[in-house]
Amino acid sequence: MKVIKEKHSLLMRWTHWVNFPLLTIMIWSGMLIYWSNDVYTLTIFGHQFFRFFPDWFNNFFNIPGRLAEGMAFHFLFMWFFALNGLIYVLYTIISGSWRELLPQRKSFKEAWLVLLHDLHIRKMAPPQNKYNAAQRIAYTAIIVMGFGSLITGLAIYKPVQFSTITWLCGGYHLARIAHFVLTIGYVFFFLIHVFQVVLAGWNNFRSVISGFEVVKTEPAIPQIDIETPKAPETDGK
């Protein structure tokens, strides 16, 4: 028997889908800005293994020479990105849905079991409510990352006006490194998130669009009360 069950509220779905194009624009425009000072590499003991965004990558996406365009988009849409995130966080607090979102003590152990189940190594998935243990950790982490991007972004955007924030971030250079690392984290989160959606199937994806999911339930078996016949009453004779 299939029943329709409400899963995601309208505001949650709205902020989710609005955040996707906003984050895409922020990453794209951030790359245009980063090109003007493309200095980060993966170097261990003086040996450079690779440089982020080599010349062929920048030329393919027509990144060089678009610094002003990148700054214009980045400094405009960062406010919408921050506002959308603020609305989502306030909603989770006011509605009480944070209880379903924050990781629990057992979440880190169960997240490993979820991974084994997704890799088809373990047959049974650990029990879950609205979100499983891995989702709790991932969704909470992305909120923390968004807050980190906002703080480090302000430190880079106005290092003089927000000198205290820049100092708390360890200075302009460290704030820029943290901002860059968080961006790489968004890309990995997005790839893993899409992979998880594909594994979860259409029913899970549909719930993020419509807010409802179809759940299979076992039909209830009616209870039949069988009365035991009473012995005939006697008057004692």
Side-chain angles (χ1 to χ4, degrees):
M1 180 180 180
K2 295 181 178 180
V3 297
I4 298 177
K5 179 182 177 181
E6 184 178 1
K7 187 173 183 180
H8 300 299
S9 65
L10 176 62
L11 187 60
M12 189 292 262
R13 287 178 282 133
W14 173 264
T15 53
H16 175 274
W17 290 111
V18 168
N19 195 59
F20 173 72
L22 288 177
L23 187 57
T24 302
I25 294 174
M26 292 299 293
I27 294 176
W28 167 75
S29 59
M31 291 176 58
L32 301 182
I33 299 173
Y34 175 72
W35 170 82
S36 64
N37 189 18
D38 187 1
V39 295
Y40 298 141
T41 61
L42 181 60
T43 305
I44 301 178
F45 298 113
H47 179 73
Q48 179 178 316
F49 287 89
F50 71 93
R51 182 169 65 90
F52 289 95
F53 312 121
D55 292 336
W56 66 263
F57 182 89
N58 294 330
N59 293 329
F60 179 81
F61 288 100
N62 192 27
I63 292 176
R66 302 170 66 185
L67 174 60
E69 179 184 356
M71 294 176 65
F73 275 96
H74 209 71
F75 296 155
L76 172 63
F77 282 91
M78 69 178 185
W79 301 112
F80 296 104
F81 177 73
L83 180 61
N84 188 65
L86 179 62
I87 292 174
Y88 176 76
V89 171
L90 289 177
Y91 166 75
T92 58
I93 295 174
I94 296 174
S95 65
S97 58
W98 61 269
R99 298 182 182 89
E100 301 174 323
L101 190 66
L102 288 180
Q104 301 171 334
R105 289 184 177 180
K106 59 183 179 179
S107 294
F108 292 93
K109 178 182 178 181
E110 290 185 354
W112 175 251
L113 300 178
V114 172
L115 176 61
L116 294 178
H117 176 263
D118 291 341
L119 295 176
H120 301 285
I121 299 176
R122 189 175 188 270
K123 292 184 178 180
M124 295 296 295
Q128 69 175 68
N129 293 321
K130 185 175 182 179
Y131 301 111
N132 60 42
Q135 289 173 325
R136 283 174 175 263
I137 296 173
Y139 296 158
T140 301
I142 205 68
I143 295 175
V144 175
M145 290 170 60
F147 180 75
S149 293
L150 177 62
I151 295 300
T152 55
L154 290 175
I156 300 170
Y157 177 53
K158 297 289 185 181
V160 177
Q161 290 84 346
F162 298 110
S163 58
T164 303
I165 296 178
T166 306
W167 175 79
L168 290 174
C169 293
Y172 180 87
H173 182 61
L174 287 180
R176 187 170 186 250
I177 293 177
H179 202 71
F180 179 80
V181 171
L182 286 170
T183 303
I184 299 298
Y186 289 131
V187 175
F188 279 110
F189 174 84
F190 173 76
L191 295 177
I192 296 174
H193 186 59
V194 172
F195 177 72
Q196 291 286 345
V197 169
V198 173
L199 288 179
W202 166 249
N203 191 38
N204 182 70
F205 180 74
R206 175 175 50 193
S207 67
V208 187
I209 298 176
S210 64
F212 298 89
E213 65 176 349
V214 179
V215 181
K216 292 182 179 180
T217 60
E218 295 294 334
I221 300 177
Q223 299 292 331
I224 301 177
D225 294 332
I226 301 177
E227 295 184 359
T228 304
K230 297 180 180 179
E233 296 182 358
T234 61
D235 55 0
K237 294 181 180 180

